[in-house]
Amino acid sequence: MSDEQAALQSFCIANNIEEISPEDDIYKYDVDTHRAAVDAAAWTEIPHYFKKVKMSALALLKMVMHARSGKTIEVMGLMQGKIDGDTMIIMDAFALPVDGCETRVSAQEEAYAYMFSYIELIKKVGRLENVIGWYHSHPGYGVWLSGIDVSTQRLNQQAQDPFLAVVVDPTRTCTSGKVEIGAFRCYPDGYKPPDAAASEYQTIPLDKIEDFGVHAKSYYQLEISYFKSSLDRRLLELLWNKYWVNTLSASALVANAGYVSGQLMDLASKLKDAGGKLGQMQNQSSFMGPDSRKGETSEDSALAKCSRDAVKTTIEVVNDVTSQVLKDLIFNQAVKR
């Protein structure tokens, strides 16, 4: 097994990509069946109707590669697929030529023209599935929907439901080795969701915490699983070779230097803010008694969250250093011998 194949296998294991038969129903697309499901529109009666996402490894890798190509700039693309009961199935994805910046991405007329041309051309080669969602990147600040993302997703759900929003964080993907990705659907305007179970903790930059908190109950996250088959193998290997070369030739320490510096500065700001709040709480306790701080757990405190963020950043830096040391041992030392 070559290094590229071994790396691809490790990628599949790290992201729990399941191997299925090429004859599986997931690869079959019936226009009439899909149209009947869309006409029934069961999701209009149940805001939390869709619960799962099944995504092809090909679509996953395309999105990761596109997101990485943008570096610190947000990028955007569309996904093609179908629905099967409460599951949204993503078969493929393609990038859009859009104007992006470090905090948002917007599609212009050129992008819409490209989208329609691409869909017409790809149908001629057998990709019959319609556009079923959009994806964009959040370089270095986690997978969630901002206020602009929520507005965009709601418009899409109103105009062309069923529609899914996917967010990829390429920076954290590089540091962890596992794809940092999330799939979301918005609730209707005015809908008050029940209290959801606590989701996995993620580091949110201080300047985005307010935006994250304000819109956190406007949408919900779907469970994602991945699949591949022998039909995808050749295309997956071709894409992976390009991804693997870029990964080998890049230094994570250099590529993520700005991200790590930003994380440390953000952590310093959070610690300063937490210290100020802790001082206020101590003063309040001295006047109002210890009962005034009931209800706050150690895990919820600002200092505890800072500790989690610090541990996460440290692990990411250690992973980057380890990766660089291994590359040096494998390639540079081998050349010297």
Side-chain angles (χ1 to χ4, degrees):
M1 181 183 293
S2 65
D3 291 340
E4 293 90 345
Q5 291 173 329
L8 177 57
Q9 186 174 359
S10 298
F11 176 83
C12 292
I13 293 172
N15 292 284
N16 297 317
I17 298 175
E18 179 187 2
E19 179 98 28
I20 63 174
S21 168
E23 302 298 324
D24 196 281
D25 288 341
I26 206 167
Y27 288 103
K28 299 173 184 177
Y29 181 71
D30 186 272
V31 176
D32 294 331
T33 301
H34 182 76
R35 186 178 293 118
V38 172
D39 291 341
W43 49 87
T44 58
E45 303 296 328
I46 308 173
H48 204 281
Y49 179 79
F50 291 108
K51 298 178 176 63
K52 302 174 185 175
V53 174
K54 289 185 178 180
M55 183 180 295
S56 73
L58 193 63
L60 175 67
L61 192 54
K62 280 186 177 182
M63 285 187 273
V64 172
M65 290 178 67
H66 184 208
R68 281 190 63 177
S69 70
K71 298 182 180 178
T72 59
I73 304 298
E74 287 194 15
V75 300
M76 176 183 169
L78 295 175
M79 303 176 295
Q80 291 176 274
K82 58 185 179 178
I83 56 173
D84 181 15
D86 64 355
T87 302
M88 305 186 80
I89 301 172
I90 307 301
M91 301 300 299
D92 203 355
F94 61 94
L96 285 179
V98 297
D99 297 326
C101 65
E102 293 187 356
T103 56
R104 68 182 64 181
V105 63
S106 59
Q108 306 298 330
E109 290 183 9
E110 180 188 354
Y112 290 112
Y114 176 86
M115 175 183 69
F116 291 124
S117 298
Y118 183 94
I119 292 170
E120 287 302 315
L121 288 172
I122 202 168
K123 282 183 178 179
K124 294 179 180 179
V125 295
R127 177 62 75 198
L128 302 177
E129 294 89 355
N130 293 319
V131 170
I132 199 174
W134 67 298
Y135 71 88
H136 71 288
S137 61
H138 276 185
Y141 50 96
V143 291
W144 48 282
L145 296 185
S146 67
I148 295 174
D149 298 338
V150 168
S151 298
T152 302
Q153 176 60 16
R154 276 186 172 153
L155 285 173
N156 284 324
Q157 287 183 205
Q158 291 167 8
Q160 50 187 336
D161 222 13
F163 214 78
L164 182 71
V166 166
V167 181
V168 181
D169 187 336
T171 307
R172 294 184 180 179
T173 295
C174 289
T175 57
S176 68
K178 183 180 179 182
V179 178
E180 190 87 6
I181 189 171
F184 308 95
R185 292 249 319 156
C186 284
Y187 292 119
D189 284 329
Y191 177 77
K192 292 184 178 180
D195 292 335
S199 58
E200 184 179 351
Y201 179 79
Q202 61 175 320
T203 303
I204 307 295
L206 190 61
D207 60 345
K208 298 184 184 296
I209 283 179
E210 185 177 353
D211 192 24
F212 171 77
V214 167
H215 303 284
K217 291 193 175 182
S218 299
Y219 59 88
Y220 68 96
Q221 189 165 358
L222 289 74
E223 177 187 342
I224 307 180
S225 60
Y226 310 102
F227 64 90
K228 66 172 183 175
S229 77
S230 57
L231 291 175
D232 308 322
R233 185 170 300 153
R234 183 56 183 157
L235 280 175
L236 200 57
E237 286 177 353
L238 288 171
L239 275 175
W240 179 259
N241 287 343
K242 183 178 179 181
Y243 179 82
W244 177 238
V245 167
N246 291 337
T247 301
L248 283 179
S249 61
S251 168
L253 286 172
V254 175
N256 296 332
Y259 164 70
V260 173
S261 298
Q263 289 289 91
L264 293 175
M265 291 176 66
D266 186 67
L267 181 58
S269 299
K270 287 179 179 177
L271 284 168
K272 184 178 179 181
D273 188 54
K277 289 180 179 178
L278 185 62
Q280 292 176 1
M281 291 176 64
Q282 288 176 340
N283 291 335
Q284 185 181 18
S285 297
S286 63
F287 286 105
M288 302 180 64
D291 290 342
S292 63
R293 294 180 61 181
K294 281 185 177 179
E296 180 187 5
T297 64
S298 59
E299 291 185 356
D300 294 332
S301 71
L303 284 175
K305 290 178 179 178
C306 286
S307 176
R308 287 187 186 182
D309 291 349
V311 169
K312 193 173 189 304
T313 300
T314 303
I315 291 172
E316 289 172 349
V317 173
V318 169
N319 287 341
D320 289 347
V321 173
T322 303
S323 172
Q324 199 61 29
V325 169
L326 288 173
K327 287 180 186 179
D328 180 66
L329 289 172
I330 293 171
F331 298 105
N332 296 342
Q333 300 300 326
V335 170
K336 289 177 183 178
R337 289 176 186 174

